[in-house]
Amino acid sequence: AAGVIQSPRHLIKEKRETATLKCYPIPRHDTVYWYQQGPGQDPQFLISFYEKMQSDKGSIPDRFSAQQFSDYHSELNMSSLELGDSALYFCASSSPLGTEAFFGQGTRLTVV
Amino acid sequence: AQTVTQSQPEMSVQEAETVTLSCTYDTSENNYYLFWYKQPPSRQMILVIRQEAYKQQNATENRFSVNFQKAAKSFSLKISDSQLGDTAMYFCAFMKRSSEKLVFGKGTKLTVNP
């Protein structure tokens, strides 16, 4: 069965650079979520989209932005990267009326 | 705001034995969902089991079952016949029905010993 696809899997950036993470949800899933998991931490909700509209917002820094496109894939744009942004970034998706979120394998971002 | 507490940072169990992971939560909501996610060393987040708050019957998935005590706001996970592949970080998570975001506990690192 198709799963949530995230790219890239690994990313190394320098401070003050920008990064774009991509997420391709499971086919026919219309909701996408982004989570950030720092080293040794639990995942923290960043933002979610339903039918291409932002549906909820968590502790997402102003330096970050995200959107969901017409094909339901989503991109998380991160600017002015800081060392503290180093983390595993998960994307998850769920189906219409679904309550179960299926997670991708994550993008490991390292800021040096 | 909702909070999820996992009071056991680490646990270990012998292969084939049973282990129970604890989780408590705090909410004023009446309609919500509870989940247990497993995160093995690969860091993949895998859904183990879920429970709807309006259902009194405890959820079961093969060797995994929960003890859901709504009044006590408790949601423990029991793993029977533990296997080496169960070694992972386990996160308890809460989601209110009107929202889409998961609120996670700090996790319990489970090690299954041969």
Side-chain angles (χ1 to χ4, degrees), chain A residues 31 33 35 37-38 41-45 48-50 55-58 88 90 99-105 108, chain B residues 33 35 37 39 41-47 50 52 89 91 95 97-107:
Chain A
T31 304
Y33 318 80
Y35 289 85
Q37 186 179 26
Q41 302 295 313
D42 55 296
Q44 295 291 317
F45 173 76
S48 62
F49 293 88
Y50 168 68
S55 53
D56 203 350
K57 192 173 181 180
L88 188 59
F90 283 108
T99 55
E100 184 176 326
F102 293 84
F103 282 77
Q105 291 186 296
R108 182 175 296 282
Chain B
Y33 302 89
F35 305 84
Y37 279 89
Q39 189 175 41
S42 68
R43 306 300 301 277
Q44 173 83 43
M45 290 291 286
I46 302 165
L47 179 65
R50 70 174 223 166
E52 290 92 345
M89 183 72 84
F91 290 100
M95 183 179 76
R97 195 182 177 104
S98 58
S99 174
E100 298 169 326
K101 67 179 183 183
L102 290 163
V103 176
F104 288 89
K106 295 299 182 186

Side-chain angles (χ1 to χ4, degrees), chain B residues 1-25:
Chain B
Q2 288 75 32
T3 59
V4 177
T5 301
Q6 293 179 248
S7 59
Q8 305 150 315
E10 292 190 41
M11 292 191 73
S12 63
V13 64
Q14 292 299 121
E15 197 175 4
E17 292 188 345
T18 296
V19 63
T20 299
L21 309 184
S22 302
C23 173
T24 58
Y25 58 95

Side-chain angles (χ1 to χ4, degrees), chain A residues 3 24 38 40 42 50 66 72 76-77 79 84 95 103 106:
Chain A
Y24 298 87
D42 55 296
Y50 168 68
Y72 294 101
L76 177 65
N77 298 293
S79 62
S95 61
F103 282 77

